[in-house]
Amino acid sequence: MDLSERRRQIMEVLQERDYVTVEELSKVLNVSAVTIRTDLTALEKQCLLLRTHGGAMKTEKRATRLISTTMTEYEKEKRAIAKAASRFITEGSTIIIDSGSTTIRMLDYVQDKGITVVTNSILAIDKLKDDESVELFTLGGKIRRASMAAIGPMANATIAMVNADVYFMGATAYNAQTITSTNMTEAELKKSMMQAAEKTVFLADSSKFGKKAFSTVCDWDSIDVFVTDHIDDSFKAFLEQKGIEVILTD
């Protein structure tokens, strides 16, 4: 079992319970306790779990789906979507990167381009904090642990002072009418981010299609580019009639 698969299985075990011990993971995965501790430390640095004495626990004990769960779902599709969307990152540009398990993968394509990144994502901040090729601006506010992101009036006020070239947006769900999020305050920040950018690129895998979450972010008229792994021909034609560029990875 390779490293990425082992860590994915650790997260699967943790999602079934609030807490798991090093000893239990060592037995389930048939590796040493030292290896498990190394894995847990690495996963904690990605803000996917919290280390405790002798084990680890979820970042948030509630029914809300956590980014620690979504990070391990549809990984291949999300990486391909991020790679396709990276064409909109140009030398010297200013981009806004949303919190989320798909948009976070945009960070693989920002190095050595002399760009400015504005983000509310704690995961993005952690990954970019030592990268001197990127000028990093962070949004303050209340940390929503389910998405590991800063949200609220402080974040909205800060993003209102920004003029960006591109906003890379994620969301919980979408259908033919709207794009939606599980959290109203987070949805409000997404709206503010759209207003701060010249172009909005929406990244979402096809598993989110036909669903609706609690809070509406926007309708399709607010989107310039949609990047996904699969789309029905009729829906693609509908979006293109609205002037939206649709980019497929499959």
Side-chain angles (χ1 to χ4, degrees):
M1 183 186 304
D2 64 20
L3 182 147
S4 60
E5 174 62 18
R6 187 176 67 247
R7 292 179 180 175
R8 185 188 68 78
Q9 290 195 23
I10 288 173
M11 295 308 304
E12 285 187 352
V13 171
L14 191 58
Q15 291 317 304
E16 296 174 358
R17 307 160 57 180
D18 285 336
Y19 175 77
V20 66
T21 68
V22 169
E23 182 179 0
E24 288 168 332
L25 289 172
S26 178
K27 289 179 180 178
V28 169
L29 300 176
N30 195 29
V31 294
S32 70
V34 172
T35 297
I36 293 297
R37 290 190 187 96
T38 300
D39 288 338
L40 295 181
T41 298
L43 291 168
E44 183 179 48
K45 287 181 178 179
Q46 297 176 52
C47 301
L48 298 179
L49 52 76
L50 295 176
R51 286 295 310 276
T52 64
H53 180 68
M57 63 186 293
K58 293 179 181 179
T59 55
E60 189 173 39
K61 295 182 180 179
R62 60 181 67 178
T64 302
R65 279 173 57 77
L66 308 178
I67 193 170
S68 56
T69 300
T70 59
M71 283 290 290
T72 60
E73 297 174 339
Y74 303 98
E75 288 187 76
K76 180 180 177 181
E77 291 83 357
K78 291 174 180 179
R79 292 187 186 281
I81 289 168
K83 183 177 181 179
S86 68
R87 72 181 66 177
F88 296 101
I89 301 176
T90 58
E91 192 81 23
S93 63
T94 296
I95 66 173
I96 302 170
I97 294 183
D98 201 358
S99 60
S101 58
T102 304
T103 51
I104 193 69
R105 290 174 167 87
M106 295 299 301
L107 303 182
D108 293 334
Y109 305 98
V110 303
Q111 295 178 342
D112 302 321
K113 292 190 176 182
I115 68 170
T116 298
V117 173
V118 181
T119 187
N120 68 321
S121 168
I122 303 303
L123 303 184
I125 293 166
D126 184 64
K127 186 165 184 176
L128 294 177
K129 67 182 186 299
D130 297 320
D131 187 346
E132 295 185 1
S133 71
V134 174
E135 188 168 9
L136 178 62
F137 284 83
T138 65
L139 304 182
K142 177 184 177 181
I143 299 300
R144 181 173 184 251
R145 290 182 175 84
S147 56
M148 292 308 298
I151 59 174
M154 188 182 299
N156 290 334
T158 305
I159 200 65
M161 296 186 285
V162 172
N163 294 306
D165 298 296
V166 186
Y167 167 38
F168 294 99
M169 184 179 83
T172 306
Y174 65 95
N175 56 33
Q177 291 76 43
T178 58
I179 297 167
T180 54
S181 173
T182 56
N183 182 273
M184 186 177 295
T185 307
E186 201 161 58
E188 286 301 314
L189 180 57
K190 291 177 189 292
K191 294 175 184 179
S192 297
M193 287 175 164
M194 282 189 283
Q195 294 174 358
E198 291 291 327
K199 182 189 295 289
T200 296
V201 180
F202 176 43
L203 289 69
D205 66 81
S206 56
S207 73
K208 299 179 178 180
F209 177 66
K211 301 176 182 178
K212 183 181 289 187
F214 174 71
S215 184
T216 298
V217 176
C218 64
D219 59 26
W220 287 97
D221 291 332
S222 299
I223 303 300
D224 298 294
V225 182
F226 177 39
V227 188
T228 189
D229 58 301
H230 175 77
I231 190 172
D232 292 341
D233 289 340
S234 59
F235 186 40
K236 182 174 184 288
F238 167 76
L239 295 179
E240 290 177 338
Q241 286 177 357
K242 287 181 168 291
I244 299 169
E245 182 180 356
V246 179
I247 300 174
L248 298 178
T249 63
D250 64 357

